[in-house]
């Protein structure tokens, strides 16, 4: 057996079951459940959870035990529902499209290929991954547009993602060979916790290379503290 991410089948099954349920219940906001929308939703979820790779039938058995976890199923269903709502609510923008079409729009023009930004949020007291954190990324106090429209900004952390989040900023056209520093501001908010603002400067060089998620930047771990707890990292 080749190396394989077992979450692909699990997420695909979860997404398709949810689409079928919503369709059978005649949910008004579900405007489309075509194959493209379903695949977009599967990608939306897979891009926000940790993969689980296997290399043998024994790996399938061991992972099946974890995949039966009730909380994991609930978290993935919530994430899938978020993806379905986003995709159905933005069809005019990217319905029946994919990132390859976005790449073709660059038409070989030099661009500042910005990295995939990934990070994790933890409870500052327990050091456990923190779910339900709403994260926004901005530049000059404006929301940054994502290169792939199925990636949301703001986004949210879930238990299934172990407090992980990711953003893929849209490339910015430039002159080949030019360099530029991009200043991004990430805002972290969760009810009952003190909000956090984190700034990151990203140097970039304009090239004609096509954007790729292989180019990534790990943001330092963020620790959030309850509003009634003093943050030792401040002051």
């Amino acid at each position: 057996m080749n190396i394989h991410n077992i979450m692909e089948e699990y997420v695909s099954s979860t997404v398709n079951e949810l689409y079928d349920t919503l369709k059978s219940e005649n949910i008004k906001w579900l405007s489309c459940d075509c194959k493209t929308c379903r695949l977009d939703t599967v990608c939306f979820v897979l891009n926000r959870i940790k993969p689980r790779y296997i290399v043998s039938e024994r790996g399938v058995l061991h992972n099946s035990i974890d995949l039966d976890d009730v909380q994991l199923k609930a978290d993935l269903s919530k994430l899938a529902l978020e993806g379905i709502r986003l995709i159905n609510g933005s069809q005019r923008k990217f319905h029946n499209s994919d990132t390859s079409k976005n790449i073709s729009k660059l038409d070989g023009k030099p661009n500042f290929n910005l990295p995939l930004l990934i990070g994790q949020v933890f409870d500052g007291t327990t050091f456990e991954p923190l779910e339900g954190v709403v994260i926004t990324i901005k530049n000059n106090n404006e929301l940054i547009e994502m290169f792939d429209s199925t990636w949301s900004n703001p986004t949210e952390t879930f238990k299934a993602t172990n407090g992980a989040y990711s953003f893929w900023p849209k490339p910015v056209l430039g002159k080949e060979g030019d360099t530029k520093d991009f200043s991004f501001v990430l805002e972290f908010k969760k009810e009952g916790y003190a909000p956090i603002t984190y700034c990151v400067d990203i140097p970039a060089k304009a090239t004609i290379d096509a954007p790729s998620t292989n180019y990534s930047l790990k943001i330092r771990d963020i620790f959030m503290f309850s509003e009634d707890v003093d943050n030792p990292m401040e002051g």
Side-chain angles (χ1 to χ4, degrees), residues 68-213:
D68 285 335
D69 180 76
V70 175
Q71 187 60 54
L72 174 62
K73 290 182 177 180
D75 289 341
L76 288 180
S77 293
K78 182 178 180 182
L79 195 56
L81 184 60
E82 177 189 350
I84 293 174
R85 282 185 173 278
L86 172 66
I87 289 163
N88 270 256
S90 307
Q91 286 186 2
R92 290 185 179 180
K93 187 174 182 180
F94 65 87
H95 186 56
N96 290 325
S97 68
D98 54 34
T99 55
S100 63
K101 293 183 179 180
N102 292 333
I103 291 175
S104 67
K105 290 181 180 180
L106 295 174
D107 195 25
K109 298 177 182 178
N111 67 90
F112 293 101
N113 184 7
L114 300 170
L116 170 67
L117 304 176
I118 56 177
Q120 280 182 283
V121 189
F122 299 89
D123 184 294
T125 303
T126 65
F127 301 105
E128 293 292 325
L130 198 57
E131 61 179 310
V133 180
V134 177
I135 309 164
T136 304
I137 184 168
K138 298 180 179 180
N139 177 249
N140 293 325
N141 208 34
E142 294 184 357
L143 290 178
I144 295 176
E145 184 178 355
M146 298 292 101
F147 180 62
D148 182 339
S149 300
T150 64
W151 294 49
S152 57
N153 179 24
T155 189
E156 184 178 351
T157 61
F158 297 90
K159 184 177 181 181
T161 66
N162 291 316
Y165 65 91
S166 58
F167 292 107
W168 191 9
K170 183 178 180 180
V172 177
L173 293 177
K175 183 178 180 181
E176 187 171 8
D178 282 357
T179 58
K180 181 178 180 179
D181 288 333
F182 290 84
S183 297
F184 295 156
V185 176
L186 290 95
E187 299 174 349
F188 301 81
K189 296 181 180 180
K190 176 177 171 62
E191 185 176 356
Y193 284 75
I196 289 179
T197 299
Y198 178 74
C199 301
V200 58
D201 293 326
I202 301 175
K205 183 177 181 178
T207 70
I208 59 174
D209 296 334
S212 170
T213 54

